[in-house]
Amino acid sequence: FTQKKIRMISLNKVECQDPVGLLKNVMLLVTTISLPALHMSDWNIDSDTFSQFISALSVQNPTYIKSLSFANSKSGTSGLIALTELISKCTNLVEIEADGFEPTEAEPFLELWRTISKHKAILSCDNPSEDLKALGLSKLLFTNDDKVVFQNIEEKSELSTPGKRDAFILYQVNKKERLTTSSEIFRKCAFFKYLEGENDFATKEF
């Protein structure tokens, strides 16, 4: 691999004839260069294969990972269990997107979001509205402890997006600050106030 300074790989809506081979190459790249951000949403592969990939990541000492997205993976309860283990190993994880696993059991789902809620480094995450719906769960019926868990989830900042990260860099340019080119951008974006609909950010700021 020649691109040693890659900070993020975004592979979304992937369909391929050899998903196992592709995932092996993704794993090799992630571990070889200690990739800080991996976004793999809406993959159209079987749930067992994707769950095994997530499990394999957790044994690679993934403390360098800052941002993960596995939205709409449809990898079920086994995927949630694997992701819970991975998150516990990612001690420097700043943001996680994890709705859309389509679990069939409530307890592994709740355990994942308990783990996210109490994780000391996570500042940004999505809200698992689709998986709550799939399980037929209502937050109103949760135990008091789990109500606190989801209150904590809702109080975390929104995930960074390409638009938000671009806007943050433009903000730094405007303020004549040193530009953030490292994976630290995920943490800084968690504290950066930005409305995604403001597509004319540059016009307003310059």
Side-chain angles (χ1 to χ4, degrees), residues 97-114:
E97 187 174 21
D99 192 22
F101 271 69
E102 298 184 355
T104 56
E105 300 174 41
E107 188 56 30
F109 164 80
L110 291 171
E111 187 57 34
L112 169 67
W113 291 96
R114 290 169 189 149

Side-chain angles (χ1 to χ4, degrees), residues 62-127:
T63 56
Y64 48 83
I65 295 178
K66 301 290 184 68
S67 176
L68 285 172
S69 174
F70 296 124
N72 302 316
S73 73
K74 299 180 177 62
S75 54
T77 299
S78 62
L80 284 180
I81 294 171
L83 183 58
T84 302
E85 178 66 16
L86 174 59
I87 290 172
S88 70
K89 299 290 182 62
C90 294
T91 53
N92 295 304
L93 188 66
V94 173
E95 59 178 23
I96 174 71
E97 187 174 21
D99 192 22
F101 271 69
E102 298 184 355
T104 56
E105 300 174 41
E107 188 56 30
F109 164 80
L110 291 171
E111 187 57 34
L112 169 67
W113 291 96
R114 290 169 189 149
T115 300
I116 293 172
S117 173
K118 68 184 181 183
H119 195 291
K120 293 181 179 180
I122 293 177
L123 300 173
S124 307
C125 67
D126 57 346
N127 197 310

